[in-house]
């Protein structure tokens, strides 16, 4: 049982560390997104939340692909 308890403790610690890292990354990303203009933020949201290609995003917004980037 000792081995199982140690394994579970280590697994729990790893999960906590991964959660903390993810929470930190989300906070940093949120901060970066807040610095974008509304138009830039919209392009990012279309690309990643809607999982569209940049070509599709550019076409929807009437932009060249270079301008969308």
């Amino acid at each position: 049982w000792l081995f199982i308890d140690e394994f579970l403790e280590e697994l729990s610690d790893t999960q906590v560390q991964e959660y903390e890292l993810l929470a930190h990354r989300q906070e940093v990303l949120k901060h970066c997104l807040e610095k974008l203009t509304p138009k830039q933020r919209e392009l990012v949201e279309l690309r990643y939340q809607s999982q569209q290609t940049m070509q599709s995003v550019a076409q929807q917004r009437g932009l060249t692909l270079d301008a969308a980037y």
Side-chain angles (χ1 to χ4, degrees):
W1 290 103
L2 182 62
F3 175 74
I4 292 173
D5 290 341
E6 289 175 5
F7 172 76
L8 291 176
E9 176 86 20
E10 188 169 324
L11 182 61
S12 176
D13 289 346
T14 300
Q15 291 295 329
V16 168
Q17 289 172 358
E18 288 180 11
Y19 174 80
E20 290 172 351
L21 179 59
L22 180 59
H24 175 72
R25 287 180 177 172
Q26 287 176 325
E27 195 61 35
V28 169
L29 180 57
K30 179 181 174 187
H31 180 71
C32 290
L33 290 172
E34 289 171 350
K35 291 182 173 185
L36 298 176
T37 66
K39 183 178 179 181
Q40 291 170 327
R41 195 172 18 241
E42 180 184 13
L43 292 174
V44 170
E45 289 171 356
L46 284 171
R47 171 61 180 98
Y48 292 101
Q49 290 180 354
S50 301
Q51 298 185 359
Q52 297 182 38
T53 65
M54 283 307 292
Q55 181 70 38
S56 174
V57 169
Q59 287 175 344
Q60 284 181 11
R61 297 293 174 245
L63 302 170
T64 66
L65 188 56
D66 287 339
Y69 276 105

